[in-house]
Amino acid sequence: MIAVFNAITNIAEDIEKNVFVDCDRFISSGLSDKERNEQARAYCSSVIQREFKRVKSIKSFIGKQHKDERIHNENGRYLVTYVAIDNVDLLDVNFSLGSIFGIYEKRRDAFHLSAAIYITYGPTFQLVFASKYEGVQYFSFEDGEFIQQDELSLLNEGKINTTAGLVSEWSDEHRALVDSFFNKGYRLRFSDSLCLDTHQILFKKGGLYSSPKTPSFPDGKLNTIFEAFPIAYIIEQAGGRAINKKGRILDMTTTDIHEMTDIYFGSKNEIQIVEDSFLNN
């Protein structure tokens, strides 16, 4: 696991330097927005693949955007999934974006997830690592290296209300749920970057992230294997909960790399309110 972690810190430093610090190379490239975003995403993917090829303990790796599994070492221990860059469409507005990594053993499903990591780039350059034995640790980049800081944990209740999806497509039930939190004084924090929105909830020690099914995303917006499992794992290791309308995210048995899901995660009290709303509708 140490070698995988070190590879991901190398990935973080490269992408921060060459995509975010030097973002003008993409923004001022003269390409269309779509071409620019694809170029930035391809660069991030190439960095990830380069670093993972150097780690003998990695058996294979596969990306959300490039779902062709790369078998690296048949005797390796880990199957790694990655989101190379989270919502690259926001690159030109100087938002923090991120990468997400799921580290699985033997099989890519929730029960074999050994660790999860996400990185936030740009104005907030940090790394969050979660494992069963070490809880949720975060590292800030200082003087050319990642320095471990305090462990992250969630309180039973927070004050952040982060909700995804087009408002015009929300069901009446979801709109009522969202409004109920605002009526209690919860603050809206939504960037449309899964990494940054997760980061907000962890650093504010609580709150709710909700991404319901909508007409545009009838199966949900998050990819289960690449996004929902790693983020749910991190949230649960921090003392929170992550569910969809059918139950706990990490109780899902899927191994389908194309499966999508709705998701609600955050502090325990908020998730209990969400569950109660499901029962009442």
Side-chain angles (χ1 to χ4, degrees):
M1 185 68 73
I2 293 175
V4 178
F5 179 86
N6 288 339
I8 291 175
T9 63
N10 292 339
I11 289 164
E13 290 185 51
D14 190 309
I15 292 177
E16 172 70 10
K17 176 183 177 182
N18 292 302
V19 177
F20 288 88
V21 173
D22 190 23
C23 62
D24 284 348
R25 63 185 290 197
F26 297 104
I27 295 171
S28 304
S29 61
L31 300 174
S32 68
D33 289 347
K34 182 178 180 180
E35 291 170 333
R36 178 204 67 203
N37 293 344
E38 283 302 318
Q39 187 182 70
R41 183 182 289 116
Y43 180 83
C44 294
S45 294
S46 70
V47 171
I48 290 169
Q49 293 173 19
R50 180 195 71 205
E51 292 298 326
F52 284 168
K53 287 176 182 177
R54 297 172 177 173
V55 183
K56 291 182 179 180
S57 58
I58 293 178
K59 179 177 181 178
S60 70
F61 49 88
I62 185 171
K64 178 188 172 185
Q65 284 81 21
H66 303 93
K67 293 185 176 68
D68 51 335
E69 184 171 19
R70 306 293 181 90
I71 303 297
H72 172 52
N73 178 10
E74 285 289 357
N75 296 319
R77 181 176 180 179
Y78 301 112
L79 311 174
V80 183
T81 63
Y82 65 88
V83 178
I85 184 167
D86 176 28
N87 201 351
V88 71
D89 293 345
L90 299 174
L91 182 63
D92 60 348
V93 293
N94 198 32
F95 272 15
S96 288
L97 303 179
S99 299
I100 304 171
F101 301 89
I103 304 168
Y104 300 82
E105 289 191 57
K106 298 180 182 179
R107 182 179 171 92
R108 273 193 307 270
D109 63 26
F111 307 104
H112 292 87
L113 190 54
S114 294
I117 296 173
Y118 72 77
I119 303 158
T120 57
Y121 304 107
T124 304
F125 183 33
Q126 296 176 331
L127 182 152
V128 172
F129 168 86
S131 72
K132 181 178 180 180
Y133 301 106
E134 298 179 77
V136 181
Q137 307 289 338
Y138 92 92
F139 299 77
S140 59
F141 194 73
E142 303 172 13
D143 300 323
E145 62 180 329
F146 281 100
I147 305 297
Q148 185 171 341
Q149 308 294 336
D150 295 336
E151 184 173 344
L152 295 175
S153 62
L154 296 176
L155 301 175
N156 286 334
E157 186 172 287
K159 283 297 180 184
I160 293 195
N161 191 8
T162 299
T163 185
L166 292 173
V167 176
S168 61
E169 293 191 351
W170 289 352
S171 66
D172 291 342
E173 292 79 13
H174 185 72
R175 189 185 306 276
L177 175 67
V178 170
D179 288 345
S180 72
F181 285 104
F182 285 136
N183 292 337
K184 294 175 184 176
Y186 281 65
R187 299 181 298 276
L188 175 64
R189 293 287 187 274
F190 181 66
S191 70
D192 206 20
S193 161
L194 180 59
C195 292
L196 186 58
D197 290 330
T198 303
H199 212 52
Q200 287 270 5
I201 288 175
L202 284 172
F203 274 78
K204 297 297 183 181
K205 294 189 173 296
L208 172 67
Y209 178 97
S210 56
S211 181
K213 294 180 180 181
T214 64
S216 293
F217 298 95
D219 297 318
K221 190 175 182 179
L222 295 194
N223 182 283
T224 304
I225 299 287
F226 295 93
E227 296 170 310
F229 282 171
I231 294 299
Y233 186 89
I234 291 169
I235 290 295
E236 288 201 1
Q237 292 302 319
R241 296 178 61 204
I243 64 171
N244 61 18
K245 276 205 166 184
K246 294 181 179 179
R248 179 173 174 253
I249 291 291
L250 295 181
D251 282 341
M252 296 174 70
T253 58
T254 185
T255 59
D256 181 358
I257 61 174
H258 300 285
E259 181 167 327
M260 309 296 285
T261 185
D262 53 319
I263 193 169
Y264 305 78
F265 65 76
S267 304
K268 290 180 178 179
N269 288 2
E270 281 83 359
I271 298 302
Q272 186 61 58
I273 292 170
V274 173
E275 284 185 320
D276 292 343
S277 77
F278 293 162
L279 295 174
N280 294 328
N281 292 300

